[in-house]
Amino acid sequence: MITCPNCQSKELGKIGTNQYYCWGCFIELSIEKNVISVHQVEEDGSLSSLNDLFEEEKRRMG
């Protein structure tokens, strides 16, 4: 089970292949090679990376 690295919520909605949306803190997550990438959804629908706020160890799955 995936947990949000930002708020530790397990309430994630699947929005695409390896893409999830956190209903706890309203960010988008994508998974590639067992590492979660964290993005903020901007008003215009674009994504801004939040990866620099989290150490890779916290974003690594398993």
Side-chain angles (χ1 to χ4, degrees), residues 3-46:
T3 302
C4 177
N6 185 48
C7 69
Q8 279 65 56
S9 174
K10 293 182 181 179
E11 294 187 37
L12 302 175
K14 189 169 178 102
I15 57 174
T17 305
N18 295 325
Q19 293 179 305
Y20 300 87
Y21 185 78
C22 178
W23 291 104
C25 62
F26 312 111
I27 61 173
E28 189 171 308
L29 311 168
S30 58
I31 302 170
E32 186 174 328
K33 297 181 182 177
N34 288 328
V35 176
I36 299 171
S37 293
V38 184
H39 298 90
Q40 176 177 326
V41 182
E42 302 294 342
E43 287 182 17
D44 65 359
S46 64

